[in-house]
Amino acid sequence: MTNIFASPFRIFFMSCSLWAVLAIPIWIGALNGYVSFPGKVIPLVWHQQEMIFGFMNAAIAGFFLTAVCVWTSTKPLRGGPLVGLWLVWLLGRFAIFGGDELYLLMNLLFFPLVIADGGRRIIKVKQKRQYPLLALLVLLYLSQTLILFEPSTGLVQSNLLLIAILALLIGGRITPAFSTNWAKRSGLNKVNVKTFPLIEKLTWLSTIALFVSVQFELNYVIPYIAISAAGVCLIRVIGWNGWAFYAEPLLWILHLSLLWVSVAFLFLSLGYFEIVNAKAWVHALTIGAIGSLILGVITRVPLGHTGRPLVLPKFMAFGYWFIQAAAFFRVATASNWVPWHLGITLSTILWTLSFVLYLYLYMPILLAPRVDGAPG
């Protein structure tokens, strides 16, 4: 049991996946009258908040608290302090049964603790390259605070755009770097993973502008900014030549995840023109982009950080395809292309299967000591 608290990625990737398996079926059960929530809790609000505070924040914590130690050459949070941090997250999931005040307290407390642990390491070594990431996490926390006090659809959507920016930041670092390294190791010298400074700047300008316009409900400009952001993000991904990495699932899942960001922004724009359902973009972003990227990261990080070769366990690629299909059916359902009950059932089953498969294949890795005998 001590191994699970030897490094943040272990406990938080496991918890993230367990909650992914439990939270969606619980919500579907509530919609169909099989699950009852205490007090005046609204199932949709609970679903939205748990996907952010339960699923996404656990994944962010696991990645950030692990990666920051590599960036700063410091020892990761482990043992008792890590147990304490995890308990704050865990209590946040069940605090709903203790009343609104306890739920607010636990969920307001968790992310600042994550930021504080990673932030002190970054600031101590003056690693300025990570300052934008740190600032983005602080902004994300402020946005989440607003959601807890006023769980409106607009605030949830603007928070999801911040998470999309975070995904573009992290994905924009690791995807071209990992792809370039793999191409060199595989002898694919002709594959050129291109990054363009202008496109990078336009990516941040357009996505930040989109967040601001949604946050302040500037409806007259949102569709135009959204389609511009979709185009820029698409050009960015195309430059990485993702097609060349079809033989390596650990890479194509990252490319495909960031491609979904462009799809989500396109659907956001089309929704304002009433060409598609206005809510379809949320599912393209949350399942297609964020869900896929999280699955891609939590399958890769445990391999490298436990001393194992970067080889995806057999059958895990099916999990990648399951979550792509889940995104497709959920977007199709929201767009009224698929009957609601059929689409919701299929997307729920596929989403759940992808993370059940992850837990089955990765629990032995997360619970076992490093194969090279090193700590962590």
Tab-separated table of all heavy atoms in Angstrom, residues 26 51 58 76 81 95 97 107 112 140 166 171 193 236 256 258 272 274 288-289 303 314 329 333 345 351 357-358 369:
chain	number	residue	atom	x	y	z
A	26	ILE	N	-23.179	7.233	-12.046
A	26	ILE	CA	-23.981	7.783	-10.950
A	26	ILE	C	-24.909	8.869	-11.477
A	26	ILE	O	-26.102	8.926	-11.138
A	26	ILE	CB	-23.071	8.348	-9.840
A	26	ILE	CG1	-22.387	7.203	-9.074
A	26	ILE	CG2	-23.876	9.217	-8.859
A	26	ILE	CD1	-21.340	7.679	-8.079
A	51	MET	N	-16.970	16.439	-12.633
A	51	MET	CA	-16.055	16.271	-13.762
A	51	MET	C	-14.879	17.240	-13.652
A	51	MET	O	-13.765	16.939	-14.070
A	51	MET	CB	-16.798	16.490	-15.089
A	51	MET	CG	-17.696	15.338	-15.494
A	51	MET	SD	-16.769	13.811	-15.886
A	51	MET	CE	-16.908	12.921	-14.322
A	58	ALA	N	-7.987	15.879	-10.222
A	58	ALA	CA	-7.124	14.767	-9.806
A	58	ALA	C	-6.067	14.499	-10.863
A	58	ALA	O	-4.891	14.259	-10.539
A	58	ALA	CB	-7.959	13.513	-9.554
A	76	PRO	N	9.593	14.344	-4.939
A	76	PRO	CA	8.139	14.521	-4.991
A	76	PRO	C	7.480	14.408	-3.624
A	76	PRO	O	8.034	13.823	-2.692
A	76	PRO	CB	7.691	13.367	-5.899
A	76	PRO	CG	8.724	12.309	-5.696
A	76	PRO	CD	10.021	13.059	-5.519
A	81	PRO	N	2.319	13.566	3.908
A	81	PRO	CA	1.790	14.772	3.263
A	81	PRO	C	0.944	14.462	2.024
A	81	PRO	O	-0.066	15.131	1.783
A	81	PRO	CB	3.055	15.552	2.888
A	81	PRO	CG	4.076	15.103	3.875
A	81	PRO	CD	3.776	13.648	4.106
A	95	ALA	N	-18.224	14.964	0.450
A	95	ALA	CA	-18.656	16.048	1.339
A	95	ALA	C	-20.068	16.513	1.030
A	95	ALA	O	-20.699	17.180	1.858
A	95	ALA	CB	-17.686	17.229	1.235
A	97	PHE	N	-22.606	14.888	1.155
A	97	PHE	CA	-23.509	14.319	2.152
A	97	PHE	C	-23.398	15.036	3.496
A	97	PHE	O	-24.213	14.801	4.387
A	97	PHE	CB	-23.212	12.822	2.337
A	97	PHE	CG	-23.463	12.007	1.104
A	97	PHE	CD1	-22.414	11.633	0.285
A	97	PHE	CD2	-24.754	11.639	0.757
A	97	PHE	CE1	-22.641	10.883	-0.864
A	97	PHE	CE2	-24.989	10.894	-0.389
A	97	PHE	CZ	-23.945	10.523	-1.203
A	107	ASN	N	-13.482	21.440	-1.514
A	107	ASN	CA	-13.143	21.714	-2.911
A	107	ASN	C	-12.434	23.046	-3.101
A	107	ASN	O	-11.725	23.239	-4.080
A	107	ASN	CB	-14.409	21.650	-3.778
A	107	ASN	CG	-14.861	20.220	-3.998
A	107	ASN	OD1	-14.178	19.432	-4.631
A	107	ASN	ND2	-16.002	19.864	-3.437
A	112	PRO	N	-5.549	24.908	-4.089
A	112	PRO	CA	-4.482	25.772	-3.557
A	112	PRO	C	-3.319	24.973	-2.969
A	112	PRO	O	-2.159	25.401	-3.064
A	112	PRO	CB	-5.200	26.581	-2.469
A	112	PRO	CG	-6.614	26.603	-2.888
A	112	PRO	CD	-6.862	25.278	-3.527
A	140	LEU	N	-7.304	29.268	-13.000
A	140	LEU	CA	-8.230	28.137	-13.038
A	140	LEU	C	-8.905	27.963	-11.674
A	140	LEU	O	-10.118	27.727	-11.595
A	140	LEU	CB	-7.473	26.864	-13.425
A	140	LEU	CG	-8.297	25.609	-13.704
A	140	LEU	CD1	-9.255	25.829	-14.859
A	140	LEU	CD2	-7.361	24.433	-13.999
A	166	LEU	N	-5.050	25.081	-20.770
A	166	LEU	CA	-4.060	24.272	-20.047
A	166	LEU	C	-3.670	23.047	-20.865
A	166	LEU	O	-2.486	22.695	-20.955
A	166	LEU	CB	-4.633	23.847	-18.690
A	166	LEU	CG	-3.732	22.978	-17.806
A	166	LEU	CD1	-2.470	23.740	-17.414
A	166	LEU	CD2	-4.497	22.518	-16.561
A	171	GLY	N	-0.067	19.993	-23.740
A	171	GLY	CA	-0.017	19.187	-24.960
A	171	GLY	C	0.937	19.764	-25.986
A	171	GLY	O	1.614	19.030	-26.711
A	193	VAL	N	8.661	17.334	-37.278
A	193	VAL	CA	7.633	17.871	-36.388
A	193	VAL	C	7.856	19.382	-36.282
A	193	VAL	O	8.776	19.845	-35.619
A	193	VAL	CB	7.711	17.206	-34.996
A	193	VAL	CG1	6.620	17.767	-34.082
A	193	VAL	CG2	7.576	15.695	-35.125
A	236	ARG	N	-1.686	24.276	-36.090
A	236	ARG	CA	-0.667	23.875	-35.115
A	236	ARG	C	-0.498	22.357	-35.086
A	236	ARG	O	0.624	21.836	-35.124
A	236	ARG	CB	-1.084	24.378	-33.733
A	236	ARG	CG	-0.044	24.224	-32.636
A	236	ARG	CD	-0.664	24.640	-31.330
A	236	ARG	NE	0.304	24.790	-30.257
A	236	ARG	CZ	0.078	24.425	-29.006
A	236	ARG	NH1	-1.081	23.890	-28.678
A	236	ARG	NH2	0.997	24.595	-28.078
A	256	LEU	N	-4.383	13.244	-31.536
A	256	LEU	CA	-5.828	13.200	-31.754
A	256	LEU	C	-6.575	14.004	-30.697
A	256	LEU	O	-7.574	14.669	-30.987
A	256	LEU	CB	-6.298	11.739	-31.740
A	256	LEU	CG	-7.675	11.431	-32.332
A	256	LEU	CD1	-7.778	11.953	-33.766
A	256	LEU	CD2	-7.935	9.925	-32.308
A	258	LEU	N	-5.581	16.738	-29.186
A	258	LEU	CA	-5.486	18.170	-29.481
A	258	LEU	C	-6.230	18.532	-30.763
A	258	LEU	O	-6.641	19.683	-30.941
A	258	LEU	CB	-4.024	18.576	-29.555
A	258	LEU	CG	-3.294	18.418	-28.202
A	258	LEU	CD1	-1.804	18.694	-28.346
A	258	LEU	CD2	-3.893	19.335	-27.149
A	272	TYR	N	-23.437	29.007	-32.369
A	272	TYR	CA	-23.952	30.377	-32.343
A	272	TYR	C	-24.698	30.723	-33.634
A	272	TYR	O	-25.566	31.604	-33.641
A	272	TYR	CB	-22.819	31.363	-32.101
A	272	TYR	CG	-22.525	31.563	-30.635
A	272	TYR	CD1	-21.668	30.699	-29.958
A	272	TYR	CD2	-23.129	32.587	-29.909
A	272	TYR	CE1	-21.400	30.854	-28.604
A	272	TYR	CE2	-22.870	32.756	-28.553
A	272	TYR	CZ	-22.010	31.890	-27.916
A	272	TYR	OH	-21.761	32.047	-26.580
A	274	GLU	N	-26.490	28.491	-35.050
A	274	GLU	CA	-27.591	27.531	-34.987
A	274	GLU	C	-27.496	26.463	-36.069
A	274	GLU	O	-28.502	25.917	-36.529
A	274	GLU	CB	-28.944	28.247	-35.051
A	274	GLU	CG	-29.155	29.217	-33.892
A	274	GLU	CD	-30.528	29.869	-33.925
A	274	GLU	OE1	-31.253	29.695	-34.928
A	274	GLU	OE2	-30.860	30.561	-32.947
A	288	GLY	N	-13.716	14.383	-25.944
A	288	GLY	CA	-12.790	14.203	-27.062
A	288	GLY	C	-11.407	14.747	-26.803
A	288	GLY	O	-10.403	14.061	-27.034
A	289	ALA	N	-11.327	15.977	-26.295
A	289	ALA	CA	-10.017	16.605	-26.087
A	289	ALA	C	-9.450	16.305	-24.704
A	289	ALA	O	-8.407	15.663	-24.565
A	289	ALA	CB	-10.125	18.117	-26.301
A	303	LEU	N	4.578	4.647	-16.940
A	303	LEU	CA	5.595	3.781	-17.533
A	303	LEU	C	6.985	4.361	-17.293
A	303	LEU	O	7.868	3.705	-16.740
A	303	LEU	CB	5.334	3.607	-19.032
A	303	LEU	CG	4.008	2.947	-19.428
A	303	LEU	CD1	3.860	2.936	-20.946
A	303	LEU	CD2	3.906	1.537	-18.862
A	314	LYS	N	-0.589	-4.266	-23.722
A	314	LYS	CA	-1.448	-4.895	-24.723
A	314	LYS	C	-2.917	-4.636	-24.402
A	314	LYS	O	-3.337	-4.730	-23.251
A	314	LYS	CB	-1.174	-6.399	-24.760
A	314	LYS	CG	-1.798	-7.118	-25.935
A	314	LYS	CD	-1.389	-8.588	-25.939
A	314	LYS	CE	-1.982	-9.312	-27.154
A	314	LYS	NZ	-1.592	-10.748	-27.158
A	329	PHE	N	-20.204	9.674	-30.029
A	329	PHE	CA	-21.618	9.432	-29.743
A	329	PHE	C	-22.197	10.511	-28.830
A	329	PHE	O	-23.375	10.867	-28.975
A	329	PHE	CB	-21.810	8.049	-29.111
A	329	PHE	CG	-21.799	6.937	-30.107
A	329	PHE	CD1	-20.755	6.027	-30.150
A	329	PHE	CD2	-22.835	6.798	-31.025
A	329	PHE	CE1	-20.742	4.993	-31.088
A	329	PHE	CE2	-22.834	5.772	-31.971
A	329	PHE	CZ	-21.776	4.872	-32.001
A	333	THR	N	-25.147	12.815	-30.010
A	333	THR	CA	-26.376	12.864	-29.214
A	333	THR	C	-26.772	14.302	-28.925
A	333	THR	O	-27.941	14.681	-29.083
A	333	THR	CB	-26.182	12.098	-27.889
A	333	THR	OG1	-25.790	10.758	-28.172
A	333	THR	CG2	-27.471	12.081	-27.083
A	345	THR	N	-26.449	6.117	-23.571
A	345	THR	CA	-26.064	4.771	-23.130
A	345	THR	C	-24.751	4.343	-23.758
A	345	THR	O	-23.844	3.860	-23.067
A	345	THR	CB	-27.166	3.754	-23.489
A	345	THR	OG1	-28.390	4.140	-22.858
A	345	THR	CG2	-26.777	2.353	-23.029
A	351	TRP	N	-17.115	5.288	-22.478
A	351	TRP	CA	-16.288	6.062	-21.536
A	351	TRP	C	-15.858	5.187	-20.362
A	351	TRP	O	-14.687	5.137	-19.996
A	351	TRP	CB	-17.078	7.273	-21.041
A	351	TRP	CG	-16.479	7.991	-19.864
A	351	TRP	CD1	-16.633	7.670	-18.541
A	351	TRP	CD2	-15.630	9.155	-19.890
A	351	TRP	NE1	-15.953	8.566	-17.737
A	351	TRP	CE2	-15.326	9.473	-18.539
A	351	TRP	CE3	-15.120	9.952	-20.902
A	351	TRP	CZ2	-14.526	10.564	-18.190
A	351	TRP	CZ3	-14.323	11.045	-20.560
A	351	TRP	CH2	-14.037	11.337	-19.228
A	357	LEU	N	-10.639	-0.448	-18.378
A	357	LEU	CA	-9.488	-1.105	-18.996
A	357	LEU	C	-8.190	-0.517	-18.450
A	357	LEU	O	-7.225	-1.254	-18.179
A	357	LEU	CB	-9.557	-0.942	-20.516
A	357	LEU	CG	-8.505	-1.686	-21.344
A	357	LEU	CD1	-8.565	-3.187	-21.087
A	357	LEU	CD2	-8.701	-1.392	-22.831
A	358	TYR	N	-8.158	0.811	-18.294
A	358	TYR	CA	-6.976	1.448	-17.718
A	358	TYR	C	-6.681	0.909	-16.318
A	358	TYR	O	-5.538	0.550	-16.000
A	358	TYR	CB	-7.163	2.963	-17.645
A	358	TYR	CG	-6.030	3.654	-16.915
A	358	TYR	CD1	-4.829	3.927	-17.555
A	358	TYR	CD2	-6.145	3.999	-15.564
A	358	TYR	CE1	-3.767	4.532	-16.879
A	358	TYR	CE2	-5.095	4.608	-14.886
A	358	TYR	CZ	-3.915	4.871	-15.546
A	358	TYR	OH	-2.871	5.450	-14.868
A	369	PRO	N	6.371	-1.336	-6.838
A	369	PRO	CA	7.541	-0.446	-6.782
A	369	PRO	C	8.158	-0.288	-8.161
A	369	PRO	O	7.855	-1.043	-9.096
A	369	PRO	CB	8.491	-1.191	-5.834
A	369	PRO	CG	8.069	-2.617	-5.914
A	369	PRO	CD	6.590	-2.603	-6.141
